[in-house]
């Protein structure tokens, strides 16, 4: 029995790659795949290229776009739409989702003469609220992993019937992505039909990362097609003639790997153990849920701060009035800063990449700069719960730099230079990871975040070198406690914090006052330490 096949690749461009790195990808991945398609016109394929990658093609390999256009015109290739800068869609405001999808649609229509009807969702991070955004953007279908179908109640089978899903009266068709890995370019037994009707052929969807598809993989598909075991189809045509679609309401979810990585190391191990136990048992149709993508913002405070910065920049950009050109430029930088690669960590370095963090903050700081109206802006200090932890942070917004203060430890956690468009505190702690070896663990896992002006009292006999190798050897860690706001002087741009506590187990108690004063081009921090006990403290 034959099976219909939707086959293709999705190709993204992480922030911070050099020209040489992208060129190497082009020669190794993008170009060979399209060459195989061009030489085998019987193969119909689907491709997705992120907006910044399409822009790179236009600047450096316009001939590649011409070949793609020819494949599209002869109905051999379909280009998939999506959000231009590849954000995690549920994390960004609805107007940005729709705006980015429509920008990508405009680019594809101008380049290839056709409007895309399908939308790629990065990392398959799904929430039901996306349906209305997709429909508002003219998107008719999208893709989720087969594991997401099974977790939503679909029958476990390599051939899953496409589904229709609904929210607030809006519907979208969802195709199931076969998630086999390794040698499973085609699943075992793909020749067999479970539909029971020869007129209704089963459908297999293999949509693979561009860096994971070799020429040999494409040749396997070509061979199967020539042996008449597979019938290649394009999703836009298939969805119009789809005879039957099951109805599924998908819960908030992501790919199986992403759902695992979003959890703590301990829960990852339990999650994998549960999967193995279920696989070895007679229990059918039960799948561990895993973690939500938003848990990355809890597991990595650095990602949460970047997310908070992005939301803050979004508010500022939306406040621009009367200058359409400036607003469009600021929005473009904001959207660029929403690229997903810096907000999580899994297979690739992601959040751990210095370049990813630098480029993300550069875009968000740039958007903030454009949001400021020349001749109207004045420095200020805002009290705002920017990280949504239930407590106010204190944001100094100056002409030359920003300084953000947190009441936990009364630390400086962001320092933005507008001259260089860098956040000099875009640091990351060493977090425990499931893949760490014993040697990596013994090399040190940070017990605290890497902010500026963190207050720690070190044991008198502990050297600085000893402290760095074993930060646990301290008498007191005031940075772990929340400081009290004593004074917020908006006129003088000053913030005064205080805390009180013991130094060591048997020593006396002190009161620590810390004052931040923001000048035009500097921040000055003053400490006052008072012994509130009756005995001396050394």
């Amino acid at each position: 029995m034959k099976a219909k096949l939707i086959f293709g690749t999705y190709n993204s461009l992480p922030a911070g790659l050099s020209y040489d790195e992208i060129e190497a990808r082009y020669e190794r991945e993008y170009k060979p795949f399209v060459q195989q398609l061009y030489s085998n016109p019987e193969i119909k394929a689907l491709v997705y290229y992120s907006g910044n990658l399409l822009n790179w093609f236009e600047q450096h390999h316009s001939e590649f776009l011409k070949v793609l256009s020819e494949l599209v015109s002869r109905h051999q290739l379909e280009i998939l739409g999506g959000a231009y800068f590849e954000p995690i869609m549920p994390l960004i405001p609805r107007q940005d989702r729709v705006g980015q999808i429509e920008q990508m649609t405009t680019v594809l229509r101008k380049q290839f003469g056709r409007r895309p009807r399908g939308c790629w969702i990065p990392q398959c991070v799904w929430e039901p609220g996306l349906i209305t955004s997709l429909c508002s953007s003219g998107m008719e279908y999208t893709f989720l992993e087969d594991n997401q179908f099974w977790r939503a109640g679909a029958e476990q089978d390599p051939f899953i019937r496409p589904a229709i899903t609904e929210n607030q009266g809006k519907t979208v068709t969802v195709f199931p992505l076969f998630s086999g890995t390794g040698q499973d370019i085609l699943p075992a037994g793909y020749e067999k039909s479970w539909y029971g009707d020869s007129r209704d052929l089963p459908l297999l969807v293999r949509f693979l990362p561009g860096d994971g598809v070799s020429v040999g993989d494409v040749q396997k598909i070509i061979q199967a097609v020539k042996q008449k075991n597979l019938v290649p189809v394009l999703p836009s045509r298939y969805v119009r003639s789809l005879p039957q679609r099951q109805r599924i309401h998908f819960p908030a979810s992501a790919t199986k790997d992403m759902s695992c990585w979003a959890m703590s190391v301990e829960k990852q191990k339990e999650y994998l153990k549960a999967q193995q136990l279920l696989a070895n048992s007679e229990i059918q149709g039960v799948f561990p849920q895993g973690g939500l993508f938003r848990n990355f913002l809890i597991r990595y405070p650095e990602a949460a701060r970047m997310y908070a910065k992005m939301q803050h920049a979004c508010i500022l950009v939306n406040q621009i009035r009367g200058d359409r050109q400036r607003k469009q430029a600021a929005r473009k930088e904001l959207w660029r800063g929403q690229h997903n690669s810096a907000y999580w960590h899994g297979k690739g370095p992601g959040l751990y990449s210095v370049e990813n963090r630098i480029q993300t903050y550069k875009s968000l700081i740039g958007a903030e700069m454009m949001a400021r109206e020349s001749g109207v802006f004045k420095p200020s200090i805002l009290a705002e719960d920017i990280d949504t932890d239930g407590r106010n942070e204190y944001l100094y917004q100056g002409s030359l730099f920003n300084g953000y203060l947190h009441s936990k430890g009364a630390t400086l956690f962001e320092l933005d230079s507008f001259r260089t468009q860098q956040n000099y505190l875009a640091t990351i702690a060493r977090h425990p990871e499931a893949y760490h070896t014993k040697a990596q663990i013994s090399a040190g896992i940070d017990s605290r975040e890497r902010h500026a002006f963190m207050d720690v009292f070190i044991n008198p006999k502990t050297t600085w070198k000893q402290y760095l190798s074993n930060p646990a050897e301290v008498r007191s860690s005031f940075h772990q406690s929340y400081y009290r706001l004593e004074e917020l002087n908006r006129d003088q741009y000053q913030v005064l914090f205080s805390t009180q506590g013991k130094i060591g187990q048997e020593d006396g108690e002190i009161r620590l006052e810390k004052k931040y004063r923001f000048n035009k081009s500097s921040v000055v921090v003053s400490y006052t330490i008072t012994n509130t006990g009756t005995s001396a403290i050394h």
Side-chain angles (χ1 to χ4, degrees), residues 157-177:
D157 193 288
F159 302 103
I160 305 173
R161 195 186 307 275
I164 189 166
T165 190
E166 176 273 340
N167 184 47
Q168 298 182 8
K170 304 294 184 180
T171 61
V172 66
T173 297
V174 185
F175 286 96
L177 298 172

Side-chain angles (χ1 to χ4, degrees), residues 200-218:
D200 189 7
L201 299 182
L203 175 71
L204 174 66
V205 182
R206 289 299 272 137
F207 202 46
L208 304 169
D211 59 356
V213 179
S214 66
V215 172
D217 292 333
V218 180

Side-chain angles (χ1 to χ4, degrees), residues 293-363:
F293 183 89
R294 292 177 185 270
N295 288 337
F296 279 107
L297 306 182
I298 297 174
R299 188 173 171 210
Y300 300 101
E302 297 87 354
R305 289 195 295 272
M306 199 176 297
Y307 169 76
K309 178 72 172 182
M310 183 267 288
Q311 294 289 355
H312 182 66
C314 183
I315 293 171
L316 297 177
V317 170
N318 287 329
Q319 290 175 346
I320 299 176
R321 297 289 184 271
D323 190 337
R324 184 177 179 182
Q325 187 174 359
R326 181 164 60 94
K327 189 166 187 173
Q328 287 178 339
R331 183 174 287 153
K332 184 177 181 180
E333 285 304 310
L334 168 66
W335 288 354
R336 197 189 307 275
Q338 292 172 341
H339 191 283
N340 76 86
S341 61
Y343 292 87
W344 61 281
H345 170 64
K347 184 178 179 181
L351 181 63
Y352 281 105
S353 165
V354 175
E355 282 301 320
N356 276 350
R357 299 196 305 274
I358 287 176
Q359 291 300 321
T360 299
Y361 273 108
K362 181 177 182 179
S363 296

Side-chain angles (χ1 to χ4, degrees), residues 409-412 452-455 483 495-499 512-516 525-528:
T411 56
L412 183 70
F453 304 108
M454 298 172 65
D455 306 323
Y483 282 50
V495 185
L496 175 64
F497 295 100
S498 74
T499 188
L512 190 155
E513 293 182 334
K514 181 161 37 170
K515 178 186 289 186
Y516 287 88
V525 185
S526 306
Y527 282 85
T528 301

Side-chain angles (χ1 to χ4, degrees), residues 136-162:
S136 297
S137 308
M139 298 292 108
E140 298 174 0
Y141 63 87
T142 188
F143 299 83
L144 293 179
E145 197 175 72
D146 51 14
N147 283 277
Q148 293 168 278
F149 275 74
W150 298 335
R151 281 179 268 168
E155 184 178 350
Q156 188 176 3
D157 193 288
F159 302 103
I160 305 173
R161 195 186 307 275

Side-chain angles (χ1 to χ4, degrees), residues 125-126 151 252-264 267-268 271 288-296:
V125 179
W126 174 265
R151 281 179 268 168
S253 58
T255 64
K256 183 171 66 174
D257 288 340
M258 183 67 71
S259 298
C260 180
W261 296 329
M263 298 186 290
S264 66
K267 289 185 177 179
Q268 284 185 48
Y271 174 77
Q289 177 65 25
L292 298 177
F293 183 89
R294 292 177 185 270
N295 288 337
F296 279 107

